[in-house]
Amino acid sequence: GGVKAVMGGADAAQAAANEIFGKTLVTHQTGPEGKKVQRLLVEQGLDIARELYLAVVLDREKRRVTFMASTEGGMDVEEVAAKTPEKILKVTVDPAIGLAPFQARQIAFGLGVTGDAAKELGKLLTALEKVFMEEDCSLVEINPLVVTKDNHIVALDAKFNLDDNAAFRHKEWDQWRDMSEEKQVEVEAKAAGLSYIQLDGNIGCLVNGAGLAMATMDIIKHYGG
């Protein structure tokens, strides 16, 4: 539901707001039915030299927090991974010591960031790891992370996924929820302690465990459901 408009001048920002506010936006994330735009984030215009990608994720295979970085900012990382996987740099963090200084330098070098921007990137990486751990995130993604023409770092857009299993530690999360972005039936199910996902069709599945859920869905689809 979040829509970003980056432009110069209040008039241009107002024009863009009028163009998309209250309208139905259709993207890969919304699906073909689209989503009504109810909030706008209008950002300052910047002289951008380069757009980078930076994320902190949980690598389930290694069971470690991992930094992912790429020079291909502003693009879907899935597309980069599929077409040019060599352009994604991965740095795995040792949980005993956290992100080591040499690893921060490794990321800066891999992204071709130097000077003031490299120093700022080091501070940003340390801060990202801290927020990832303290706020119980499962994903923190900055895309794009920009290098300005005067060689400074700015996080121009960000996405945070919070691990529901840690909700008992974060009572403030409830205040942040935008109920207009959630399906009412799923909100009611969660309040009742149920994991419920609304899909298309007219067959309901009541299952125990994710694997059984997927197998049941496959069987239904196989027989034309």
Side-chain angles (χ1 to χ4, degrees):
V3 180
K4 185 174 48 144
V6 182
M7 59 202 64
D11 292 341
Q14 186 62 53
N18 293 339
E19 183 69 29
I20 56 180
F21 187 72
K23 306 288 173 53
T24 299
L25 181 75
V26 180
T27 69
H28 292 302
Q29 288 92 346
T30 66
E33 70 279 6
K35 194 78 182 172
K36 187 177 179 181
V37 178
Q38 304 197 61
R39 290 187 185 185
L40 295 175
L41 169 63
V42 181
E43 296 180 343
Q44 63 178 321
L46 290 172
D47 286 329
I48 298 171
R50 298 173 63 212
E51 294 189 6
L52 309 171
Y53 174 91
L54 180 64
V56 190
V57 298
L58 183 63
D59 187 326
R60 295 184 181 277
E61 192 176 322
K62 294 183 177 178
R63 292 190 275 187
R64 293 283 188 275
V65 171
T66 298
F67 280 78
M68 286 174 51
S70 176
T71 54
E72 306 302 297
M75 293 176 59
D76 289 336
V77 71
E78 295 85 357
E79 190 177 329
V80 179
K83 294 182 178 176
T84 52
E86 71 279 1
K87 291 188 176 180
I88 296 179
L89 171 68
K90 293 183 182 179
V91 173
T92 303
V93 176
D94 185 326
I97 61 171
L99 184 73
F102 82 89
Q103 291 179 310
R105 290 193 294 272
Q106 182 183 347
I107 293 171
F109 180 79
L111 294 174
V113 176
T114 58
D116 289 340
K119 292 175 189 173
E120 292 171 12
L121 180 63
K123 290 179 182 176
L124 177 68
L125 293 169
T126 302
L128 274 183
E129 182 187 24
K130 184 179 180 186
V131 76
F132 185 90
M133 300 303 292
E134 291 185 1
E135 297 301 323
D136 289 301
C137 301
S138 55
L139 167 75
V140 176
E141 181 180 66
I142 303 176
N143 187 22
L145 175 74
V146 302
V147 182
T148 60
K149 288 184 179 172
D150 57 357
N151 204 34
H152 290 288
I153 289 281
V154 181
L156 204 59
D157 193 11
K159 173 183 177 180
F160 286 73
N161 283 357
L162 305 172
D163 188 342
D164 285 353
N165 292 303
F168 69 96
R169 283 200 286 260
H170 299 278
K171 302 304 181 189
E172 72 277 10
W173 287 359
D174 280 338
Q175 302 167 29
W176 301 347
R177 289 177 71 181
D178 182 353
M179 302 309 275
S180 69
E181 290 292 318
E182 301 187 35
K183 293 177 181 173
Q184 186 58 37
V185 66
E186 292 183 7
V187 172
E188 291 175 14
K190 189 167 186 177
L194 300 171
S195 295
Y196 176 80
I197 300 171
Q198 188 176 25
L199 301 172
D200 296 334
N202 57 3
I203 300 172
C205 292
L206 182 62
V207 292
N208 180 17
L212 184 57
M214 290 188 285
T216 307
M217 291 289 291
D218 285 348
I219 292 167
I220 291 170
K221 186 171 182 180
H222 177 74
Y223 283 99

